[in-house]
Amino acid sequence: MNAVRKLALVSSLLALTSAAFAATSAEETYLATCRKEPGVPVPVEVVAPRVAQRYAGRTVEVLFTVNEKGQPTELAVSPSIDGELASAVVVAVKQWKFEPAQRDGTPVATKVVLPVRVVDSGAEGSRYAAY
Protein backbone atom coordinates (compact mmCIF):
# COMPACT_ATOMS: atom_id res chain seq x y z
CA MET A 1 0.00 0.00 0.00
CA ASN A 2 2.91 2.35 0.64
CA ALA A 3 3.94 1.99 -3.01
CA VAL A 4 0.45 3.04 -4.12
CA ARG A 5 0.65 6.20 -2.03
CA LYS A 6 4.13 6.95 -3.38
CA LEU A 7 2.99 6.66 -6.99
CA ALA A 8 -0.04 8.84 -6.32
CA LEU A 9 2.23 11.49 -4.80
CA VAL A 10 4.79 11.19 -7.56
CA SER A 11 2.14 11.41 -10.26
CA SER A 12 0.82 14.63 -8.76
CA LEU A 13 4.16 16.35 -9.33
CA LEU A 14 3.18 17.28 -12.83
CA ALA A 15 0.52 19.63 -11.53
CA LEU A 16 3.34 21.66 -9.97
CA THR A 17 5.20 21.98 -13.26
CA SER A 18 2.49 23.57 -15.38
CA ALA A 19 4.94 26.10 -16.86
CA ALA A 20 6.79 23.27 -18.55
CA PHE A 21 3.76 22.52 -20.74
CA ALA A 22 4.48 25.54 -22.94
CA ALA A 23 7.84 24.12 -24.04
CA THR A 24 7.12 20.40 -24.16
CA SER A 25 4.34 17.85 -24.31
CA ALA A 26 2.50 16.52 -21.28
CA GLU A 27 4.01 13.10 -21.86
CA GLU A 28 7.61 14.37 -21.96
CA THR A 29 7.04 16.55 -18.91
CA TYR A 30 5.61 13.69 -16.91
CA LEU A 31 8.45 11.33 -17.75
CA ALA A 32 11.06 14.02 -17.02
CA THR A 33 9.60 14.93 -13.63
CA CYS A 34 8.61 11.48 -12.45
CA ARG A 35 10.61 10.29 -9.45
CA LYS A 36 11.91 6.79 -9.78
CA GLU A 37 11.78 4.99 -6.45
CA PRO A 38 12.34 1.33 -5.59
CA GLY A 39 9.16 -0.67 -5.13
CA VAL A 40 7.10 1.66 -7.33
CA PRO A 41 6.21 1.01 -10.99
CA VAL A 42 8.00 3.64 -13.09
CA PRO A 43 6.27 4.90 -16.25
CA VAL A 44 8.50 4.66 -19.32
CA GLU A 45 5.87 5.53 -21.94
CA VAL A 46 2.73 7.59 -21.36
CA VAL A 47 -0.16 8.81 -23.49
CA ALA A 48 -2.11 11.95 -22.62
CA PRO A 49 -5.73 11.89 -23.79
CA ARG A 50 -7.30 14.92 -25.43
CA VAL A 51 -10.44 15.87 -23.58
CA ALA A 52 -13.10 18.55 -24.02
CA GLN A 53 -12.53 22.02 -22.58
CA ARG A 54 -15.44 21.59 -20.18
CA TYR A 55 -13.29 19.11 -18.20
CA ALA A 56 -10.58 21.65 -17.37
CA GLY A 57 -9.70 21.48 -13.68
CA ARG A 58 -11.27 18.05 -13.14
CA THR A 59 -9.34 15.19 -11.58
CA VAL A 60 -9.97 11.52 -12.29
CA GLU A 61 -8.49 8.86 -10.01
CA VAL A 62 -7.64 5.76 -12.00
CA LEU A 63 -7.14 2.54 -10.03
CA PHE A 64 -5.22 -0.22 -11.76
CA THR A 65 -2.58 -2.89 -11.41
CA VAL A 66 0.79 -2.72 -13.14
CA ASN A 67 1.52 -6.36 -13.90
CA GLU A 68 4.92 -8.07 -13.95
CA LYS A 69 5.34 -7.13 -17.62
CA GLY A 70 4.76 -3.42 -16.93
CA GLN A 71 1.28 -3.31 -18.43
CA PRO A 72 -1.65 -1.57 -16.73
CA THR A 73 -4.52 -4.01 -16.11
CA GLU A 74 -7.82 -4.03 -14.23
CA LEU A 75 -8.43 -0.29 -14.77
CA ALA A 76 -11.31 1.37 -12.94
CA VAL A 77 -12.52 4.88 -12.16
CA SER A 78 -15.19 6.19 -9.85
CA PRO A 79 -18.67 5.69 -11.31
CA SER A 80 -19.46 9.32 -10.42
CA ILE A 81 -17.06 10.56 -13.12
CA ASP A 82 -18.57 11.64 -16.45
CA GLY A 83 -18.44 8.66 -18.83
CA GLU A 84 -16.78 10.56 -21.70
CA LEU A 85 -13.97 11.83 -19.47
CA ALA A 86 -13.49 8.47 -17.74
CA SER A 87 -13.36 6.65 -21.06
CA ALA A 88 -10.75 9.03 -22.55
CA VAL A 89 -8.51 8.71 -19.50
CA VAL A 90 -8.83 4.91 -19.28
CA VAL A 91 -8.10 4.49 -23.01
CA ALA A 92 -4.93 6.57 -22.60
CA VAL A 93 -3.69 4.91 -19.41
CA LYS A 94 -4.19 1.46 -20.97
CA GLN A 95 -1.46 2.47 -23.44
CA TRP A 96 1.07 3.37 -20.76
CA LYS A 97 4.10 1.18 -20.27
CA PHE A 98 5.89 0.81 -16.95
CA GLU A 99 9.06 -0.61 -15.57
CA PRO A 100 7.36 -2.87 -13.02
CA ALA A 101 8.02 -2.64 -9.31
CA GLN A 102 10.48 -5.22 -8.03
CA ARG A 103 10.77 -7.24 -4.88
CA ASP A 104 14.11 -8.95 -4.27
CA GLY A 105 15.07 -8.28 -7.89
CA THR A 106 11.94 -9.91 -9.31
CA PRO A 107 9.18 -7.92 -11.09
CA VAL A 108 5.91 -7.96 -9.14
CA ALA A 109 2.36 -6.79 -9.84
CA THR A 110 1.55 -3.59 -7.94
CA LYS A 111 -1.75 -1.78 -7.36
CA VAL A 112 -1.68 1.89 -8.34
CA VAL A 113 -3.91 4.90 -7.70
CA LEU A 114 -3.15 7.56 -10.30
CA PRO A 115 -4.78 10.99 -10.06
CA VAL A 116 -5.14 12.48 -13.55
CA ARG A 117 -5.76 16.24 -13.51
CA VAL A 118 -7.01 17.96 -16.67
CA VAL A 119 -4.91 21.06 -17.33
CA ASP A 120 -4.84 23.79 -19.98
CA SER A 121 -2.35 22.93 -22.71
CA GLY A 122 -1.65 26.53 -23.69
CA ALA A 123 -1.92 28.30 -27.00
CA GLU A 124 -3.87 25.65 -28.90
CA GLY A 125 -6.82 25.93 -26.54
CA SER A 126 -7.22 22.17 -26.24
CA ARG A 127 -7.02 20.34 -22.95
CA TYR A 128 -4.83 17.45 -21.92
CA ALA A 129 -4.92 15.05 -19.04
CA ALA A 130 -1.73 15.47 -17.04
CA TYR A 131 -0.33 12.85 -14.74
Side-chain angles (χ1 to χ4, degrees), residues 7-17 21 25-35 43 45-51 59-60 62 64 85 88-96 98 113-119 127-131:
L7 187 59
L9 176 65
V10 168
S11 64
S12 297
L13 287 176
L14 191 56
L16 301 174
T17 59
F21 282 104
S25 73
E27 295 94 340
E28 292 169 343
T29 300
Y30 180 80
L31 291 174
T33 60
C34 179
R35 291 180 15 211
E45 185 177 325
V46 299
V47 174
R50 291 183 186 259
V51 296
T59 299
V60 177
V62 184
F64 59 99
L85 176 59
V89 172
V90 166
V91 165
V93 174
K94 279 183 179 180
Q95 299 175 65
W96 284 36
F98 292 82
V113 177
L114 179 70
V116 178
R117 187 165 89 70
V118 180
V119 296
R127 308 284 179 199
Y128 293 88
Y131 315 99

Side-chain angles (χ1 to χ4, degrees), residues 3-126:
V4 172
R5 280 181 269 163
K6 283 183 185 177
L7 187 59
L9 176 65
V10 168
S11 64
S12 297
L13 287 176
L14 191 56
L16 301 174
T17 59
S18 59
F21 282 104
T24 184
S25 73
E27 295 94 340
E28 292 169 343
T29 300
Y30 180 80
L31 291 174
T33 60
C34 179
R35 291 180 15 211
K36 288 127 179 104
E37 297 186 16
V40 176
V42 176
V44 293
E45 185 177 325
V46 299
V47 174
R50 291 183 186 259
V51 296
Q53 181 177 2
R54 69 181 176 271
Y55 297 120
R58 301 274 310 267
T59 299
V60 177
E61 278 197 352
V62 184
L63 292 78
F64 59 99
T65 299
V66 174
N67 69 17
E68 298 85 355
K69 295 178 181 179
Q71 303 162 326
T73 62
E74 304 170 22
L75 286 85
V77 297
S78 169
S80 66
I81 299 298
D82 176 275
E84 181 182 341
L85 176 59
S87 177
V89 172
V90 166
V91 165
V93 174
K94 279 183 179 180
Q95 299 175 65
W96 284 36
K97 294 190 179 19
F98 292 82
E99 181 179 314
Q102 294 194 5
R103 185 174 303 130
D104 299 324
T106 303
V108 294
T110 307
K111 294 208 179 278
V112 175
V113 177
L114 179 70
V116 178
R117 187 165 89 70
V118 180
V119 296
D120 192 343
S121 68
E124 298 169 6
S126 59

